[in-house]
Amino acid sequence: MHSVPSIVSPYQFMHRQGRHMHQVEIEFDVDVPLRDGTILRADVYRPADGNDHPVLVQRTPYGKNYFYDSQFDVRVAARRGYIVVIQDTRGRFASEGEWLPWAFEREDGYDTIEWAAQLPGSNGKVGMFGVSYMGSTQWNAAVSQPPHLVTIVPGVTWSDPENGLTFRSGAIELGMNTWWGLGQAFAQYPKVGLPIEQLMTKFSSTIGDIDDLAERVYWELPAGHHPAIERAGQPDIGVARALDDSAASDESRIANRYSDIEVPSMIFAGWNDVFQQGSLDNYIGMRARGLTTRLIVGPWAHTTLGNSTPQVGDVNFGLSSLAPAGSPLTDMHLAWYDHWLKGEPATQAHESGVLIFVMGDNQWRHESDWPLARAEATPLFLTGSSGLSWQPVTEETTPSAYSYDPLNPVLTRGGNTLTSSEFPFGPVDQAATEARDDVLVFTSEPLDADVEVTGRVAATLYVATDGPSTDWVVRLCDVDRNGISLNVVDGILRTAAEPNEVAEVNIDLWSTSFVFKQGHRLRVQVTSSNFPRWDRNTNTSEGEARDATDFRVAAQKIFHDATHPSHLLLPVVPREVDGQV
C-alpha cells in the first residue's frame, strides 16, 4: 500500500532556486530503543552546520532505503535545515521485533517521536511525513500524543479500515489485499530465518502467485481466507488478520480516535485514490475538533501522487495537476513545516482550508471547507427507458433485469483501485463493461450547460434478488461528445435479502469534484460485481460470502417507477455564467 517512485517534477527545480542549502551528513542503521526493549533502526539525514534543527520522521514497512522523493524529497529537506529520520517499522528490514501490520504503530510511534526529539542537533520539535501506510503511522503516533510531536502531513491514507482498506460496505477489498499481502510476505522471508531450501521454496511459490494473480490467484476461494496467503505462510498479514482479529481493525482505525489527536495536519488526497474517502473523512474529523487542518485533493491515483506525469488512467489532466496552485509537493511540505517547526510567520497556507483539483475544468480551486456548503443535493432518477432524468418518474414501469453469475463476474476496469497491473486504475473507457448483458446502463440527454458535481455521491436503488444474499454495484460515468464513457465514482453494497422481495438499498459512491461539460451526458451503470477489486458474492446462504465456496446465479431486478424512485443524489455546485450564478 504505497506509491511507486518517479523522477522529480521539473517544477521542483524551479522552486529550489535561491534558497540556502546545507551540506548533509548521513548516519545509517541508528538504533532506536523502545520501552519494551525492542530495537528499531533508522537512517538519519542531518544538516552539517552544527546548529539545532527540527526533526522530520517517516516510519515505513517498505524499507528505509526506498525513497518516495516524488512526494517529499528528504535530501532537499535536509539541505533546507531539517534532520530527517527514516525508520523501518517493527519487524521489517533492519528493525527487530515481530511484523504485524498496524499492531504496534501507536506505541512505537510515541517512542520514536520522543527519541527523535532528543537527537543531537534537534530543537525538540518533531513533524512527520509519508503516504499510505506511512500516513497511517502518522495518525497512530498522533493518537498516542507524544509531547514533542508538533504536526503531521499524511497522504492518501485511510480512516476506517472497513471503508476502503480491508472492506467496502461488506465486500472484501480483494484485489488490493491479495496483491499487497503477497508482496509483504515476499519481503519478509529473509527476516524469519527459514532454512535455505524452504526459503527458496517460499520465494518460488510466492513469485508464481504474484505473477499469476489475474488468471488464477484472485479466483481462488474462500476469499476471506485466501489460499495464496496461506501458501505464503503469512496469515497475519493484511485482510486475513483483520478477518480473524477484531483488534487488527481497531489498530488501523483512526475514525474513532479523532478526539485523541491534538496536532495540526495537512492532508493530501487523490480523487482516484483507493483511500480517497478516508482522507476526506480524516480532514472532516480534524475540523470537527477545531484543529488547524488543510486538505489538498488532486486527480491522483494511489501510485501517481507527486509523479512527473499528469496521466491518470485514460485521462491527461494537464501539467498543472502536478503542482497544486503552482507549488510542488516537497515545497508545500516545507512551507508547512517552516511555520510549525521553525516558527516562521504563518501565511494563508497555514490556516484551515481546502485546495481541490476540479476535474473536467482541470483547474485548482481554493475552498474554505469541505464539504462545500453551497453544494445542492440533487436527485438524478433512473427511468424505464434506460434513461436518466432530473425529474421524478411519474408512471409505473417494468423493472430492469439481469442475471449475475459469480463464475463470470464483471471485471474491474478503472476506478479507485490498487491491484495488479492487469486491472487499470483511474478513469478508463467503459465500453467493454457496458457491452455486457449483466450491466444495466442508464444515460441522460446531452447537457445544455456544464454541471459541476463536487462532494459525496450516493445512490438509492429499489431492488430484488431471488437469493439470500447478493451485491449491488453502482457507477457514475461521463460520456463525451464522441460517445466515450469514462468512470467518475462507484461503490458497492453487500446485502442479505428476502428472496424476491423489493428492498431499498443505499450505496455510497464516495466523493468527487467533476464538471460534466455541456454536450456531455451522464451515465449510470448498475451491476453486481467488480472483480477482483471486490470479492464475488456467491449469492448463497453458505455463511458470509467471504467464507463461501459454492455459487449460484442470481436473478436481479432494479425498479424505477413512481413508487420506487431509484436515483443518484448528486452534490451539484451552482456555476457562474457571465457573472451570474
Side-chain angles (χ1 to χ4, degrees):
M1 299 173 191
H2 59 283
S3 297
V4 297
S6 178
I7 63 174
V8 177
S9 165
Y11 284 105
Q12 292 178 296
F13 293 110
M14 293 188 292
H15 286 259
R16 293 172 191 168
Q17 303 306 311
R19 296 181 181 272
H20 176 66
M21 291 288 191
H22 299 276
Q23 294 298 309
V24 176
E25 298 173 345
I26 307 174
E27 297 177 82
F28 296 104
D29 293 321
V30 179
D31 285 359
V32 184
L34 305 180
R35 72 189 82 172
D36 66 358
T38 302
I39 301 295
L40 307 188
R41 292 186 173 85
D43 294 343
V44 180
Y45 300 73
R46 65 175 70 248
D49 63 351
N51 296 323
D52 290 345
H53 298 282
V55 184
L56 302 177
V57 173
Q58 176 177 271
R59 306 190 58 252
T60 176
Y62 303 124
K64 55 187 172 59
N65 297 323
Y66 189 5
F67 280 11
Y68 301 86
D69 52 5
S70 61
Q71 294 123 19
F72 181 63
D73 193 323
V74 301
R75 293 157 296 194
V76 171
R79 298 199 69 194
R80 292 260 292 269
Y82 289 89
I83 299 171
V84 182
V85 173
I86 306 180
Q87 179 196 69
D88 290 333
T89 54
R90 182 183 291 246
R92 297 295 278 174
F93 298 94
S95 289
E96 297 178 357
E98 181 184 9
W99 159 243
L100 287 176
W102 318 299
F104 306 102
E105 307 304 3
R106 290 174 189 165
E107 298 86 346
D108 292 359
Y110 182 104
D111 292 355
T112 298
I113 296 303
E114 293 306 290
W115 168 86
Q118 306 304 317
L119 281 171
S122 167
N123 72 354
K125 295 183 177 181
V126 182
M128 297 187 77
F129 67 97
V131 298
S132 195
Y133 194 106
M134 293 83 80
S136 178
T137 61
Q138 294 180 66
W139 287 114
N140 275 295
V143 165
S144 70
Q145 298 185 355
H148 291 91
L149 181 62
V150 176
T151 187
I152 60 175
V153 183
V156 293
T157 195
W158 59 89
S159 170
D160 185 339
E162 295 186 13
N163 190 28
L165 174 62
T166 49
F167 307 106
R168 175 82 177 268
S169 299
I172 297 173
E173 288 279 0
L174 180 72
M176 175 174 60
N177 281 279
T178 307
W179 171 80
W180 185 79
L182 289 174
Q184 303 323 300
F186 183 78
Q188 195 68 3
Y189 292 148
K191 287 280 294 182
V192 297
L194 293 173
I196 187 63
E197 297 83 2
Q198 190 175 356
L199 179 64
M200 296 310 296
T201 298
K202 288 288 187 185
F203 272 132
S204 177
S205 173
T206 304
I207 289 172
D209 282 344
I210 292 173
D211 286 344
D212 203 16
L213 279 165
E215 297 298 323
R216 173 179 54 85
V217 174
Y218 284 139
W219 300 83
E220 295 180 324
L221 295 172
H225 300 277
H226 203 280
I229 299 298
E230 297 295 327
R231 287 194 296 273
Q234 297 290 322
D236 290 330
I237 285 181
V239 69
R241 180 166 181 256
L243 283 164
D244 292 333
D245 184 358
S246 60
S249 290
D250 184 63
E251 289 158 358
S252 61
R253 182 177 288 110
I254 303 302
N256 62 348
R257 303 301 297 268
Y258 295 136
S259 61
D260 297 324
I261 298 173
E262 302 289 348
V263 296
S265 55
M266 182 166 66
I267 299 167
F268 287 90
W271 294 127
N272 293 291
D273 176 42
V274 68
F275 302 132
Q276 176 232 90
Q277 191 60 52
S279 296
L280 302 180
D281 289 347
N282 285 334
Y283 171 82
I284 294 169
M286 289 296 91
R287 290 293 292 129
R289 290 271 291 114
L291 296 175
T292 300
T293 311
R294 287 198 70 78
L295 174 67
I296 298 95
V297 193
W300 311 303
H302 200 70
T303 55
T304 66
L305 172 64
N307 279 6
S308 60
T309 173
Q311 188 81 20
V312 182
D314 289 348
V315 176
N316 185 320
F317 286 102
L319 288 173
S320 66
S321 69
L322 302 178
S327 183
L329 300 191
T330 293
D331 280 3
M332 294 188 76
H333 280 73
L334 293 176
W336 180 263
Y337 297 137
D338 285 347
H339 168 64
W340 295 106
L341 301 177
K342 290 186 175 181
E344 294 189 7
T347 68
Q348 185 179 6
H350 299 99
E351 300 173 358
S352 294
V354 178
L355 181 62
I356 59 174
F357 189 87
V358 182
M359 298 177 292
D361 281 350
N362 291 350
Q363 295 177 350
W364 290 97
R365 190 172 74 201
H366 291 274
E367 297 285 350
S368 61
D369 209 353
W370 182 270
L372 308 190
R374 68 184 184 280
E376 301 172 354
T378 305
L380 180 64
F381 296 93
L382 281 60
T383 73
S385 56
S386 297
L388 295 171
S389 173
W390 300 106
Q391 301 302 319
V393 177
T394 58
E395 69 275 4
E396 298 302 316
T397 62
T398 302
S400 300
Y402 64 95
S403 294
Y404 160 48
D405 182 356
L407 294 176
N408 183 27
V410 178
L411 296 181
T412 298
R413 186 163 179 79
N416 298 50
T417 64
L418 180 63
T419 185
S420 60
S421 59
E422 294 89 347
F423 303 96
F425 54 74
V428 174
D429 186 346
Q430 294 294 298
T433 298
E434 292 171 357
R436 294 178 59 113
D437 59 12
D438 56 355
V439 178
L440 301 180
V441 177
F442 301 84
T443 307
S444 75
E445 294 297 318
L447 295 171
D448 294 330
D450 292 356
V451 173
E452 178 183 333
V453 175
T454 296
R456 200 157 185 169
V457 179
T460 296
L461 299 182
Y462 293 87
V463 300
T465 182
D466 67 349
S469 173
T470 199
D471 290 350
W472 304 101
V473 173
V474 177
R475 182 171 297 109
L476 174 65
C477 302
D478 172 55
V479 183
D480 69 15
R481 293 173 181 266
N482 297 317
I484 303 300
S485 175
L486 297 174
N487 50 294
V488 178
V489 288
D490 62 7
I492 190 171
L493 180 67
R494 178 155 293 170
T495 64
E498 290 294 329
N500 299 310
E501 288 193 6
V502 180
E504 176 184 323
V505 296
N506 297 290
I507 303 167
D508 179 10
L509 276 63
W510 285 7
S511 300
T512 191
S513 182
F514 192 93
V515 177
F516 297 84
K517 307 300 284 187
Q518 181 182 15
H520 287 215
R521 293 173 292 164
L522 287 79
R523 178 167 289 169
V524 172
Q525 300 172 12
V526 179
T527 186
S528 290
S529 55
N530 182 1
F531 178 80
R533 177 180 180 179
W534 297 310
D535 71 311
R536 297 164 288 169
N537 194 316
T538 58
N539 305 319
T540 69
S541 57
E542 185 188 351
E544 296 187 64
R546 64 188 62 161
D547 297 317
T549 56
D550 291 338
F551 295 92
R552 65 181 297 278
V553 176
Q556 316 286 65
K557 291 182 180 180
I558 307 295
F559 296 79
H560 33 61
D561 53 42
T563 308
H564 306 101
S566 293
H567 64 277
L568 266 63
L569 197 62
L570 305 179
V572 175
V573 175
R575 304 278 286 177
E576 289 190 7
V577 179
D578 297 329
Q580 303 295 317
V581 177

